Amino acid sequence: MGIAADIIIIVLAAFCGGLLAHALRQPLILGYILAGVLIGPFTGGGTVSDVHDIEKLAEIGVALLLFALGLEFSLKELRPVRFIALIGAPLQILLTIGFGYMVGIFLGWGPVSSLWLGGLASLSSTMVILKTLMNQGMMGTLSSRVMVGILIVQDLAVVPLLILLPQVSDPQAGLPILAMALLKGAGFLALMLFAGARILPWLLTRIARWNSRELFVLSITAIGLGIGYLTYQIGLSFALGAFVAGMVLSESDYGHQALSDIIPLRDLFSLLFFTSVGMLLDPEFLLHNWRGVLEIVLLIALGKGLILALTTRSFGYRNVVPLAVGLGMFQIGEFSFVLGQVGFSGGFLSGTEHSFILSATILSMLMTPLISSLTVPIYRLKTRYSRAESISTVNLPPEGLHGHIVLAGGGRVGQHIARLLTQVEVPFIIIEMNHNRLEECKTQGFPTIYGDASQEVVLDAANLIEAQQLLISLPNIIATESIVRQVHRKSPKLHMVVRAEGAEQMRALYDDGVYMVILPELEAGLEMARQALLHVKLPIPLIQRYTDALRRDHYHPSGEMSEEHQEIRLLKNARDHLELNWERLGPESLMLGQSIGNLDIRRTSGVSIVGVLRDGVFSPNPSADFVFSEGDLIAVLGHLSPQDTVG
């Protein structure tokens, strides 16, 4: 069957490798690479017949990967961390290339191969980092946003590196050829942004009107691969054209649909690429050269991690952020496989050097979850034995903080709470370590402390000893648990209300001494269910009874509720069982011109009038001599019969 049989073997092996990686909570690409090692030419057993044909086919996976990256690209994602992403990330790439070059020279490599080592080492693994952050519950934190911003720019840097590295590495190319490559790239980019931004969206609009899903998928695939092939024909990178095509389409009305349709095809061909990378890894080579591979991994990890941490720190990020970025992004990324293959096929890297880089890349990816998980323990150790950083405060009340509420987290949830506390004139202080959110709180006039709420010096600045309560609205469970344990040691009797995701986190937080745990997904689900039941005209008391029962089951059983909680729940139930209705008095109403006392409504109808809205003015608890007029909107406890309101 030839190449068809090879593809079948690859898909089956990748499926098994993907299952193993998922079971071990690792990115699927590591499973694909392992599958490639097992079916590659360097191991016994069933192997593919022609690795080179698979490598050529896998180039489509690279193009589709960059095409999808272009479709996902958005400048909006860079706004919160735009300075470190747009300035710091290119600086980090240049510094890492220089450091990698020195590592190569130190290891005895030639200048050209050392330069390629630096270029490959400058990129981190988007897939591995995102999967690690999700598994650790770190998505949404300031550290994760900084990492994602840097990763986006690193992924974009693949394109210029694909152009520049081969040209710089060829001693006979010279500056004219390099300048011509840059000129071609700039001209192609300008042409695509001008003409492609008009022609491609118009073309997709016409195709979408035909309501053919198959034709739409075929059209976006043809656009991505076709423009990539066009750039290849004019002497530029196949991947460059695919990326620019995706970037142009991302601005059209059909960008999201194009991305959702291309993802399955991208994942399938990416599987071929990562599996073919695994086929290039020689286990025997790794066994015989493990010291050299480990030496590359350690040198690159230490140097690159330090460069990332110092770059992050130089852009004003403090506390745990530089440490998290350095320990999370030290690895060599998956796009280095693309660059490495170009360097190997172009003769810039020898087979031995390519094998060293492949082995080091895979090993650094495997180490990422373990190394990244050390962030919190190392940071705790650092804060325990090092001098505390200076604390910035804004909008603190002149009389100081006494009997206040402490809010750990000034994001959307924290700001909603702060606005409510401001309205009811309850004193509070926000603790926030995100610069952008600090500015938002400052603009709204909220008293805020910039710092990490798990640090004792920050809690002292918030005068936790005199606080009434601590509310933790952070979405990150690791940060939440760190704060809870620190606060519990400092003020064991302080009531803590925290946010959590799922029953397992809730139980762990209760074990740590938390007073109340809120599940946002449960509250959202209950409110959506309540709206649905109201729409189908279910009685309000019945709806409330069911929602209260679900809350009791998920939060505290009745026997475990404190006396205050039980009283609050009973009062809430009593309030919700009061049937408040609104009735508008029409021109035929028998109540027009009559007073509440004359009508004797309470005795005759069994309802109580608790308010009247007239001409935009609300009158609560109107007196007995209040006279009704046409158009009055009256609030009643109970329900007035039609004969009472309409003649």
Side-chain angles (χ1 to χ4, degrees), residues 293-306:
V293 172
L294 189 60
E295 192 174 27
I296 294 176
V297 171
L298 292 178
L299 288 173
I300 294 297
L302 289 173
K304 183 179 178 181
L306 186 61

Side-chain angles (χ1 to χ4, degrees), residues 83 195 222 260 603 612:
F83 293 113
S260 64
R603 186 182 61 81
V612 179

Side-chain angles (χ1 to χ4, degrees), residues 182-205:
L182 292 175
L183 187 62
K184 286 181 180 179
F188 170 73
L189 184 61
L191 179 64
M192 283 295 298
L193 292 178
F194 178 74
R198 291 168 172 77
I199 297 174
L200 295 183
W202 174 84
L203 178 62
L204 281 183
T205 301

Side-chain angles (χ1 to χ4, degrees), residues 68 99 173 240 304 358 361 365 425 481 554:
F99 177 77
L240 171 65
K304 183 179 178 181
L358 280 177
T361 301
M365 285 181 170
E425 298 183 351
E481 288 181 335
H554 281 82

Side-chain angles (χ1 to χ4, degrees), residues 367-585:
M367 292 168 56
T368 299
L370 175 62
I371 299 300
S372 180
S373 66
L374 298 176
T375 301
V376 174
I378 293 176
Y379 182 65
R380 286 177 184 163
L381 195 64
K382 171 184 173 293
T383 55
R384 182 179 301 175
Y385 295 105
S386 64
R387 183 178 61 87
E389 298 182 28
S390 60
I391 298 174
S392 300
T393 59
V394 294
N395 301 324
L396 288 187
E399 67 275 10
L401 299 168
H402 311 284
H404 56 293
I405 292 176
V406 179
L407 299 177
R412 286 174 296 179
V413 176
Q415 290 180 31
H416 287 318
I417 300 171
R419 279 189 284 270
L420 177 58
L421 294 177
T422 301
Q423 291 175 6
V424 297
E425 298 183 351
V426 172
F428 66 92
I429 183 73
I430 297 175
I431 300 176
E432 178 57 60
M433 60 181 298
N434 183 315
H435 285 272
N436 297 319
R437 289 175 180 166
L438 178 69
E439 290 300 319
E440 292 173 2
C441 294
K442 180 180 179 181
T443 302
Q444 298 183 64
F446 299 148
T448 310
I449 296 174
Y450 174 71
D452 183 356
S454 65
Q455 290 191 41
E456 185 174 357
V457 65
V458 175
L459 296 176
D460 289 339
N463 198 12
L464 192 71
I465 300 298
E466 296 189 45
Q468 295 188 48
Q469 199 173 39
L470 171 66
L471 310 181
I472 305 176
S473 61
L474 301 175
N476 177 15
I477 185 60
I478 297 177
T480 298
E481 288 181 335
S482 179
I483 296 170
V484 166
R485 289 166 185 162
Q486 177 68 21
V487 171
H488 192 66
R489 286 194 298 268
K490 190 175 183 64
S491 301
K493 294 183 179 180
L494 183 67
H495 282 188
M496 288 183 280
V497 179
V498 305
R499 168 184 176 181
E501 305 291 339
E504 184 177 347
Q505 292 182 8
M506 181 178 66
R507 286 192 294 268
L509 289 167
Y510 277 129
D511 291 340
D512 288 337
V514 167
Y515 176 70
M516 187 65 183
V517 180
I518 304 299
L519 303 176
E521 292 183 356
L522 172 64
E523 296 298 332
L526 289 177
E527 180 58 25
M528 293 178 70
R530 192 178 74 86
Q531 293 296 332
L533 296 177
L534 286 172
H535 185 72
V536 298
K537 309 299 183 184
L538 236 62
I540 293 176
L542 183 63
I543 297 173
Q544 198 62 43
R545 190 158 57 246
Y546 279 116
T547 55
D548 282 344
L550 284 172
R551 278 194 177 93
R552 285 196 306 273
D553 292 341
H554 281 82
Y555 289 129
H556 273 304
S558 297
E560 297 180 7
M561 280 189 178
S562 66
E563 185 176 338
E564 294 89 344
H565 266 100
Q566 292 190 30
E567 186 174 334
I568 291 173
R569 182 174 61 83
L570 291 173
L571 289 173
K572 186 175 183 298
N573 287 345
R575 182 202 66 192
D576 294 328
H577 281 75
L578 294 175
E579 188 178 1
L580 180 66
N581 294 287
W582 292 88
E583 303 284 353
R584 181 158 320 260
L585 300 184

